[in-house]
């Protein structure tokens, strides 16, 4: 168990290290040279140096046993420095996850080696013909027998886009055994095992990504993770909630890193006689809505992390929602930050274009956004059917109850989003519209927005009550968080109402059904809930630019 003090010390060391060893000039140079700073990655993962890996490794194997919440905080902090280096560090934990969840006690020695020796791992799942659909895996692991005893395996195949592929000391490789997909631990230098040159990538150019080839690579039978064939996909699934949260934290950290460059820039850049920060058409388009979306993602990450840590299971769907919201928000924030810096934003020197290229990967790896939409939609569809359409109406009633206790956090507007979502899903059920894959996936998006709105309202209420997790991000006070929550809830309600209607009508239902849906979606109430939006955006803008404190006569 890591205390708040220890976590803060680790985060501070990480930030100090970033400032010292990875200043902007160094990052820009490495990005241009497309170079992974291996020595820096090793320094970060060395027990006698920065030792970031210790936070991820359980205490019984020599680590500090950070929980999901701690790991989210570390991932966000790493992403704020450089997402490529962060990916290198994360790859070790993705690579060792099958070992953490599925290995035999003897195999867990590898976790000890990560803690004590700082060895780097890579996670080898993706193949040239198996990306989103890992079931299409072609790499094989053929049994090597001694009589009727399995003594080892011969692995043949290739892996694509493997982070740390060219620099890892050990690899977990997913391969098909006679009993199905299974993870194997393969060490660097094994005969028949090779990696390609690093990929020339759009972003995260400070991380090493390489293809792997395996030609008759022999491993002893004790390198089969867990010792039982066919457990590979279950072992991968068991940690999806957790690993997706880490990538969600990457989206959040990178998105904020970009905004935290755009915000100060806009206070200094004078156009038309005044700073950009004083122009509503600038802040309310480029800055404030992105803050609201990122903080909605954060609320979902923090709540899911707490629930995983409380033992509620792997929470794969919640991890998917957190990843979807935070990485999409991170991308939007970084793109808006380029716009916010104008021509300067388009150059390397000002970093936001690099962050924008980097954060792009977060909607692709660890499951693309489309796969997240599908995962979310399929899971919640089952809840919709099981509760005969009541699931989101029930959540709406809970949000209304929260509104009764905390009328300031926008929980009533989140309830409108949830009610509209329930109606859209019911209409999709009655018309059997999820036979259209596009509608199924769009529902995933609406679900993510509506659930995140309710979650952000809960976070704002907890903040008001002084009951946020002690390790939670405290950038915004209760009043600011409430305003952010209201802004986001309005967006979510508009989305559920307007886009829900759009897709249902677009699937070709009758005029009468559209008219009935217009009523059941409570569109007039959703429209009226937009009242106060500009004032809330003004307030959040004032908070971001330190104008609230100044008005109140306090230090900015
Ligand atoms: C820089 C980088 C680092 C990576 N690191 C690792 C790593 O360390 N280990 C590892 O194993 N993998 C890694 N990956 C691989 C990554 O996880 C995959 O790229 C990702 O899962 C998508 O697979 P794919 O590239 O084959 O795309 P595809 O699966 O072919 O998808 C292409 C597009 O089609 C969409 N799509 C796919 N299936 C469907 C569907 N059923 N319905 C609708 N749309 C669909 C996708 O959303 C996407 O937009 C990395 C990738 C990159 C680029």
């Amino acid at each position: 168990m890591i205390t708040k003090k220890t976590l803060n010390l680790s985060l501070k060391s990480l930030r100090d290290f970033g400032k010292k060893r990875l200043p902007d000039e160094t990052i820009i140079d490495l990005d241009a040279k497309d170079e992974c700073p291996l020595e820096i990655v090793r320094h970060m993962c060395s027990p006698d140096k920065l030792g970031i890996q210790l936070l991820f490794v359980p205490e019984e194997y020599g680590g500090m046993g950070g929980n999901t919440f701690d790991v989210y905080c570390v991932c966000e902090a790493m992403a704020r420095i450089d997402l490529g280096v962060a990916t290198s560090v994360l790859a070790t934990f993705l690579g060792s996850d099958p070992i953490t969840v599925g290995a035999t006690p003897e195999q867990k020695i590898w976790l000890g080696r990560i803690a004590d020796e700082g060895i780097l791992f890579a996670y080898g799942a993706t193949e040239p013909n198996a990306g989103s659909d890992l079931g299409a895996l072609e790499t094989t692991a053929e049994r090597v027998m001694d009589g009727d005893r399995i003594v080892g395996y011969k692995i043949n195949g290739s892996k694509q886009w493997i982070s740390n592929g060219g620099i890892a000391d050990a690899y977990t490789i997913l391969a098909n055994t006679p009993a199905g997909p299974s993870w194997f631990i393969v060490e660097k230098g094994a005969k028949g095992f090779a990696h390609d040159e690093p990929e020339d990538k759009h972003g995260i150019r400070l991380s090493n990504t390489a293809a792997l080839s395996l030609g008759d690579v022999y491993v002893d039978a004790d390198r089969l993770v867990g010792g039982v064939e066919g457990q590979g996909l279950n072992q991968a699934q068991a940690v999806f909630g957790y690993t997706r949260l880490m990538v969600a934290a990457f989206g959040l950290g990178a998105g904020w890193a970009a905004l935290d460059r755009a915000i100060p820039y806009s206070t200094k850049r004078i156009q038309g006689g005044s700073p950009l920060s004083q122009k509503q058409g600038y802040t309310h388009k480029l800055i404030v809505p992105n803050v609201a979306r990122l903080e909605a993602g954060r609320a979902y990450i923090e709540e899911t992390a707490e629930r995983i840590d409380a033992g509620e299971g792997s929470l794969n769907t919640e991890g998917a929602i957190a990843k979807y919201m935070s990485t999409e928000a991170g991308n939007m924030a970084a793109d808006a930050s380029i716009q916010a810096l104008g021509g300067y934003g388009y150059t390397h020197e000002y970093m936001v274009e690099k962050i924008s290229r980097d954060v792009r990967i977060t909607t692709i790896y660890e499951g693309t956004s489309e796969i997240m939409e599908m995962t979310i939609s399929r899971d919640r569809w089952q809840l919709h059917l099981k509760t005969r359409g009541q699931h989101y109406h029930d959540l709406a009633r809970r949000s209304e109850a929260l509104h009764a206790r905390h009328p300031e956090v926008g929980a009533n507007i989140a309830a409108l989003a949830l009610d509209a979502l329930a109606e859209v899903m019911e209409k999709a059920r009655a018309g059997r519209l999820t036979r259209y894959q596009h509608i199924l996936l769009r529902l995933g998006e609406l679900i993510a927005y509506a659930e995140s709105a309710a979650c952000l309202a809960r976070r704002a209420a907890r903040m008001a009550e002084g009951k946020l997790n002690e390790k939670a991000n405290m950038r915004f006070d209760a009043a600011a968080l409430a305003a952010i929550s209201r802004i986001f809830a309005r967006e979510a309600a508009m989305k559920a109402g307007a886009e829900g209607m759009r897709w249902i009508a677009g699937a070709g239902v009758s005029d009468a059904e559209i008219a009935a849906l217009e009523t059941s979606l409570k569109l007039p109430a959703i429209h009226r809930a937009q009242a106060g939006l500009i004032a809330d955006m003004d307030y959040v803008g004032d908070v971001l630019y330190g104008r609230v404190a100044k008005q109140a006569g306090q230090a900015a």
Side-chain angles (χ1 to χ4, degrees):
M1 166 81 174
I2 294 180
T3 62
K4 180 184 169 191
K5 195 172 161 207
T6 308
L7 177 67
N8 284 344
L9 276 176
S10 299
L11 293 172
K12 184 176 180 310
S13 308
L14 180 60
R15 283 192 291 267
D16 291 348
F17 177 79
K19 270 192 206 127
K20 196 164 154 220
R21 299 293 306 277
L22 286 168
D24 285 2
E25 315 77 74
T26 307
I27 289 180
I28 289 166
D29 184 46
L30 290 166
D31 178 72
K33 290 200 271 194
D34 197 10
E35 186 181 315
C36 169
L38 181 56
E39 187 263 325
I40 284 183
V41 174
R42 291 223 178 261
H43 188 109
M44 289 174 80
C45 296
S46 292
D48 54 344
K49 296 188 175 126
L50 201 57
I52 286 297
Q53 89 286 11
L54 296 172
L55 279 142
F56 294 75
V57 177
E59 278 171 299
E60 59 266 47
Y61 305 108
M64 291 162 74
N67 62 17
T68 316
F69 209 97
D70 298 321
V71 168
Y72 134 65
C73 295
V74 173
C75 284
E76 183 186 0
M78 289 198 299
R80 289 185 69 103
I81 299 170
D82 179 82
L83 207 48
V85 170
T87 297
S88 261
V89 175
L90 180 67
T92 289
F93 299 97
L94 294 181
S96 60
D97 272 337
I99 299 174
T100 307
V101 294
T104 61
E106 298 76 43
Q107 289 170 334
K108 296 235 165 136
I109 196 169
W110 288 96
L111 301 177
R113 290 193 59 191
I114 293 172
D116 303 340
E117 300 168 34
I119 63 169
L120 301 181
F121 256 88
Y123 177 82
T126 305
E127 299 188 355
N129 296 319
S132 298
D133 177 15
L134 276 183
L137 193 73
E138 288 169 358
T139 297
T140 56
E142 188 193 326
R143 291 174 185 162
V144 176
M145 308 297 294
D146 178 9
D148 54 5
R149 199 167 61 90
I150 304 171
V151 291
Y153 290 87
K154 246 196 269 171
I155 307 176
N156 280 286
S158 50
K159 296 286 169 186
Q160 186 77 14
W161 320 120
I162 305 305
S163 303
N164 287 355
I167 59 172
D169 304 299
Y171 299 73
T172 35
I173 298 288
L174 190 65
N176 262 319
T177 63
S182 310
W183 290 101
F184 290 89
I185 302 163
V186 178
E187 278 179 271
K188 163 174 96 172
K191 196 162 166 256
F193 185 41
H195 62 81
D196 274 359
E197 288 298 304
E199 302 285 351
D200 182 1
K201 304 190 296 294
H202 174 67
I204 57 166
R205 288 163 71 85
L206 275 68
S207 89
N208 174 290
T209 314
L212 309 175
S213 64
L214 300 103
D216 276 343
V217 173
Y218 175 81
V219 290
D220 286 334
D222 66 2
R223 292 298 169 88
L224 164 65
V225 173
V228 180
E229 294 176 4
Q231 302 302 306
L233 295 184
N234 289 342
Q235 287 160 352
Q237 288 264 345
V239 286
F240 266 161
Y242 177 76
T243 57
R244 285 171 181 162
L245 273 195
M246 296 188 205
V247 179
F250 278 7
L252 183 64
W256 263 117
L259 285 182
D260 277 334
R261 287 174 187 268
I263 292 168
Y265 175 87
S266 60
T267 62
K268 299 201 176 69
R269 179 72 176 167
I270 311 291
Q271 287 298 313
S274 62
L276 293 171
S277 57
Q278 290 175 14
K279 297 175 197 299
Q280 224 190 22
Y282 175 96
T283 54
H284 292 20
K285 179 182 176 195
L286 301 175
I287 309 291
V288 174
N290 289 301
V291 167
R293 289 186 205 112
L294 283 169
E295 289 307 300
R298 181 191 303 288
Y300 215 94
I301 295 174
E302 290 192 354
E303 193 175 282
T304 305
E306 285 181 334
R307 292 179 58 195
I308 291 177
D309 290 336
E312 284 193 43
S314 62
L315 300 187
N316 288 357
T317 308
E318 285 71 14
I321 293 177
K323 177 180 191 286
Y324 180 70
M325 292 304 297
S326 308
T327 61
E328 290 287 337
N331 271 276
M332 284 188 259
D335 189 64
S337 297
I338 295 181
Q339 190 71 12
L341 268 73
Y344 296 100
Y346 200 62
T347 64
H348 293 312
E349 189 187 338
Y350 286 77
M351 293 291 281
V352 286
E353 74 77 40
K354 184 223 164 246
I355 296 171
S356 167
R357 279 187 287 112
D358 286 354
V359 73
R360 195 68 191 75
I361 190 59
T362 61
T363 60
I364 297 175
Y365 65 15
E366 273 305 287
T368 66
S369 279
E370 294 70 38
I371 297 300
M372 296 303 103
E373 288 169 351
M374 200 186 311
T375 304
I376 296 162
S377 192
R378 280 186 177 156
D379 179 80
R380 297 311 199 230
W381 187 250
Q382 293 308 317
L383 286 180
H384 179 80
L385 298 183
K386 223 161 79 184
T387 59
R388 297 180 179 274
Q390 285 311 299
H391 177 66
Y392 284 113
H393 284 312
D394 290 347
L395 293 190
R397 302 292 77 74
R398 277 195 237 163
S399 216
E400 280 171 353
L402 177 64
H403 176 69
R405 296 196 305 279
H406 281 283
E408 76 285 8
V409 297
N412 55 331
I413 313 174
L416 286 171
L418 292 162
D419 275 331
L421 174 64
E423 292 297 324
V424 170
M425 289 177 80
E426 184 51 19
K427 199 73 220 154
R429 186 199 62 77
R432 295 196 292 134
L433 302 182
T434 52
R435 66 182 186 276
Y436 298 107
Q437 197 210 21
H438 184 56
I439 293 198
L440 183 75
L441 268 62
R442 297 298 18 98
L443 283 178
E445 181 185 16
L446 302 188
I447 290 167
Y449 267 77
E451 286 199 26
S452 297
C455 183
L456 180 53
R458 288 193 290 277
R459 187 175 193 273
R462 278 178 70 183
M463 183 70 181
E465 291 169 5
K467 289 188 182 154
L468 268 193
N469 190 309
E470 61 168 359
K471 295 173 181 170
N473 182 287
M474 302 285 178
R475 179 170 184 147
F476 297 106
D477 67 12
L481 208 52
I484 290 170
S485 178
R486 294 191 297 268
I487 293 168
F488 184 78
R490 291 185 184 101
E491 182 177 359
M494 281 302 286
K495 206 180 226 330
E499 292 186 24
M501 170 57 84
R502 182 177 181 216
W503 299 123
I504 299 290
V509 298
S510 69
D511 267 6
E513 285 174 297
I514 293 176
L517 190 59
E518 278 166 348
T519 307
S520 65
L521 284 177
K522 298 194 227 165
L523 292 178
I526 290 176
H527 295 157
R528 281 177 187 82
Q530 305 304 313
L533 175 59
I534 298 290
D536 279 340
M537 294 178 96
D538 286 345
Y539 180 70
V540 173
D542 286 345
V543 169
L544 289 166
Y545 286 102
R547 298 188 288 242
V548 171
K550 273 185 203 142
Q551 279 165 8
Q554 298 160 6

